[in-house]
Amino acid sequence: MNNGEYDIEYFKENGFVRKQCEKCGTYFWTRDKDIKTCGDAPCEIYSFIGSPIFKERSPDEVRESFLSFFEDRSHTRLGRYPVVARWRDDIYLTIASIADFQPFVTSGKVPPPANPLVISQPCIRLEDLESIGKSGRHLTIFEMMGHHAFNKRGEEEIYWKNDTVRYCDDFLRQLGVDMESVTYKEAPWVGGGNAGPCLEVITGGLELATLVFMDLELSPRGDINMEGRRYRKMDTYVVDTGYGLERFVWASKGTPTVYDAMFPAVIKELVNAAGIEHPIETHPEIIMKHASLSGSLKRVEIAKRLGISLETLTSILEPIETIYAVADHTKCLAFMLADGIVPSNAKEGYLARLVLRRAFRMLKSLGIETPLEELVLMQIKTLRNSFPELQKSVDRIVEIVSLEKRRYDETLLKGERIIRQLAKEYEGKAEQKVPPDLLINLYDTHGLPPEFVKDVVSNMTDMKAGSEVKVEVPENFYTLVARMHSEERKEEVEPFVESMREKTKSIPATIKSYYEEPSAVEFEATVLDGVDDFVILDKTLFFPEGGGQPADTGFLTFVRNGETGAKSVKVVNVQEVDGVILHKIENGEISISKGAAVSGHIDPKRRIAHTKHHTATHIVVCAARKVLGDHVWQAGAQKGEKRARIDIAHFKRISNAERREIEMLANQMVMENLEIRTSFVDRNEAEQKYGSRIYQGGVPIGKEIRIVRIGEDLDVQACAGTHLSRTGECGPIKILRTERIQDGIERLEYAAGEAAVEAIQAQEELIRKSAAVVKVPSEKLPTVVERFFEEWKQLRKENERLRGEIAEQELERLRGQAQDISGVKVIAAVLPDADTKAMLKIASLLSNENFVTILIGREEKSASAVASIPAYLTDEIHAGIVIKRVCEVLGGSGGGKAELAQGGGNRRDKVHEARDVALKYIEVALLQRKK
């Protein structure tokens, strides 16, 4: 990057000199003309350990000092955004304060909520999970205190580099920092498709802040080269600063680690629960010396400096490092869960579960029995003054964490069998080492931590000598997993959209008359163009498919010479590409003149059904949130004419009682006939007033977004769909069923209006017919069905008892038919009318008595077969191969394990031949064994 980017007037005016670090070669600015290094670790040690940089301050004091400082300098203070980035479609978690304003504000598409502004934003990054607790400085959750200015080329500048550096200098001076010790290190910044010069602010070996001057964007034809990629100047240029609140607190306390500075109460609780002493009490000199060197030297080098072995140093540090990590994770979980993340196997839910299960595992390794939820609540109590909103979610957090612990325990219980089977597959292979990608797959698919996999494999006692399977866990395993799941996977642009985007780029956006005249069904328009089998009009009432709402259908009639002609075409689909609405015509391409007049008619029955179901969706989500909790978040939706469905994030199955309560509340909203208001609102205004909950249905683009409000803001969403004007127009809402479609996602299926009445009538008819079958009134049906069910269970028990007696008699008969082949007892029999389940049971019992067993059942239209081999013979005879031979004769297929297999075919006339084939195979195998 051009050195001129750092030629800042403030540096010249205040006696700074530009120097090059003797160790790392980086350029930096300093007031100290004698300094030889940039001051950053690893070029310098942490000199502030045991010798704080300025007067001790609590997190609340640091935060308030920062926010007040910039408020006094004409910055508007903003409240924090959630740690789950609901306003973004590319990332799941809020990773920096600037992420609050990406992509729309930073790109200039939307004005900032204030300019300039200041914020202290809790952020979560899971990129360095293995370093948490060990490095002394890494955190999963941290507060990025930032002041931001959004400049636009050609407009009056808010401020840029000069004032940014001056503000930083003044703030540090106000805190009492020795300004001679401060260095500003040049460190070009790249990230998220943007780039720019950056200054890292360092003192005492610790980076306290970064000052990014974002003014570049990726461009294939850009004239600026950075890290092998081409960039060009942005239309905007943004001051993006990040001051680490935790770093400032740490610097003011001079504790061995940032964890000791931020989580003293939680660490004390964990140390006591683990039954250990903090090494700062038992080995103070080692801990302080290690802490000061930890940023500049590897642990093995530190051990040499201390004159002790690496093993000794590790044994001193490991327990407290695990405690540090738990303390960090509990704070991370407090924000994740309070801000509405539901643990699951996908998206942000996956990341929450990742942190949860690491915490469970670490608590177990420490022998701590304190429930994780209690530690999370302790963090919330500590944070209650700064973040009182966390307290509102305590009950839900306790329920979620305790439920996740039960699921984790169940996963490990089931996982042991999976791991043992996998290890057996690797036994005897040339490469007897479980590869990292398989460990990741085991974690992703089955939730099995690699440490657990390693423990299970290492404790297997049935492995053959010399063929033990090795499990080596990559040091950065959890970081790899987190990176795989930290960003939304972008769906590829459909070829249709890409093609139409190119073909319609010169056509103006279509006027959406369905917003202006929501109840109209007929309209007049002008043809702008025809593309393939699509017609493009200047305006339309046809709603294009989107947001889970199907497209309108209907007719277009072309007008000739001022009169309506006979040329009508059916519209079978409607799509929107970049604001241009495309009407698909039935039966392919048509010849249409540009400028031709056309009248349109939409199918009113289809439209009103979709509209009712779309409004019902908002009502049901609102009711579900009230019944289940504020964490409920829309994960998908589909509206139809007869029914609709909504998928929501929720941590457990919806009970029947909850379903009925949601249904009742939804219908109460209908009966209240609440007003539904739709309007286009400035994005910033909507976000500031309603928060990120407006993005339930996705993130729309643009400076203005369409907001749909029910009643006195009972439900507020950004939504492009068609809606009723009052809830009463929706008619009754009937929830037809609920189901879990994936971990952490519940689906509610429902009908509204006439469709709901039809659904209720269908259920009533089903009940009437069922009652007629048993010849009782409908109201007595549950009692009668319950009685019939109990009687059926008793009959089944009796049937099982009789089957058992028959099976015992059959067993005795079969034992008597056993043949001796080379000293092995072999049973091969054809059993008329025997089912596979019964034969499997008989074969298993006979195998336990060391019989080789082949049973073939001849049924009315087919034949089934079962083979069982005693364990001591499986090296010579494989049950699956026996069954394969049998089924070839029976005209079918089958297979199984070495000890037990099954199959069948439709050649029931070949059962005796199949039995003889099996006997011959076994006889040959046993003769070879004898030799």
Side-chain angles (χ1 to χ4, degrees), residues 162-177:
N162 213 51
D163 286 336
T164 302
V165 177
R166 176 169 56 82
Y167 284 144
C168 183
D169 238 29
D170 289 349
F171 179 64
L172 296 179
R173 188 178 292 107
Q174 178 177 294
L175 290 177
V177 176

Side-chain angles (χ1 to χ4, degrees), residues 21 23-24 26 37-48 135 137 183 185 200-208 247 250 291-297:
C21 179
K23 292 187 177 180
C24 69
T26 306
T37 70
C38 63
D40 196 7
C43 299
E44 292 292 335
I45 66 169
Y46 290 149
S47 59
F48 70 94
S135 68
R137 66 186 184 278
T183 58
K185 187 172 78 168
E200 294 177 353
V201 187
I202 300 153
T203 182
L206 183 67
E207 181 187 336
L208 290 175
R247 298 273 179 113
W250 186 19
S292 65
L293 297 171
S294 61
S296 54
L297 295 176

Side-chain angles (χ1 to χ4, degrees), residues 23-42:
K23 292 187 177 180
C24 69
T26 306
Y27 287 95
F28 63 97
W29 295 82
T30 177
R31 289 181 173 90
D32 186 351
K33 295 178 176 57
D34 298 324
I35 194 171
K36 296 182 178 180
T37 70
C38 63
D40 196 7

Side-chain angles (χ1 to χ4, degrees), residues 80-87 93-94 100 121-122 335 339 691-692:
R80 78 171 182 98
Y81 284 52
V83 297
V84 53
R86 303 289 195 194
W87 59 95
L93 301 175
T94 307
D100 297 343
Q121 176 62 46
F335 278 89
D339 281 3
S692 58

Side-chain angles (χ1 to χ4, degrees), residues 477-625:
F477 177 85
Y478 289 101
T479 296
L480 290 172
V481 170
R483 282 175 184 164
M484 287 169 55
H485 294 270
S486 292
E487 295 183 354
E488 180 74 78
R489 289 182 176 88
K490 288 284 187 183
E491 293 184 6
E492 291 187 10
V493 178
E494 293 181 15
F496 166 79
V497 174
E498 210 164 70
S499 170
M500 284 299 173
R501 184 171 283 156
E502 181 63 27
K503 292 176 181 178
T504 62
K505 62 184 179 182
S506 62
I507 300 175
T510 310
I511 297 170
K512 299 173 180 178
S513 301
Y514 47 81
Y515 288 151
E516 300 166 6
E517 305 173 78
S519 59
V521 295
E522 294 182 342
F523 67 101
E524 304 292 329
T526 302
V527 175
L528 296 183
D529 207 344
V531 179
D532 301 334
D533 51 355
F534 290 91
V535 173
I536 302 170
L537 309 175
D538 63 335
K539 58 184 175 180
T540 187
L541 280 180
F542 283 91
F543 181 83
E545 181 184 9
Q549 181 172 332
D552 284 334
T553 58
F555 291 89
L556 290 178
T557 303
F558 296 94
V559 181
R560 296 172 180 172
N561 301 322
E563 297 180 1
T564 301
K567 190 177 181 182
S568 289
V569 293
K570 189 174 182 181
V571 176
V572 294
N573 192 5
V574 185
Q575 297 292 323
E576 180 179 1
V577 175
D578 294 344
V580 175
I581 295 178
L582 305 148
H583 305 75
K584 184 178 177 65
I585 305 305
E586 189 177 45
N587 298 327
E589 295 187 26
I590 59 170
S591 177
I592 303 171
S593 301
K594 292 182 183 180
V598 64
S599 62
H601 181 89
I602 66 169
D603 181 342
K605 187 177 179 182
R606 179 180 171 87
R607 161 68 75 79
I608 193 62
H610 290 163
T611 300
K612 285 183 177 181
H613 277 125
H614 204 139
T615 296
T617 298
H618 287 227
I619 293 171
V620 170
V621 169
C622 179
R625 194 181 304 114

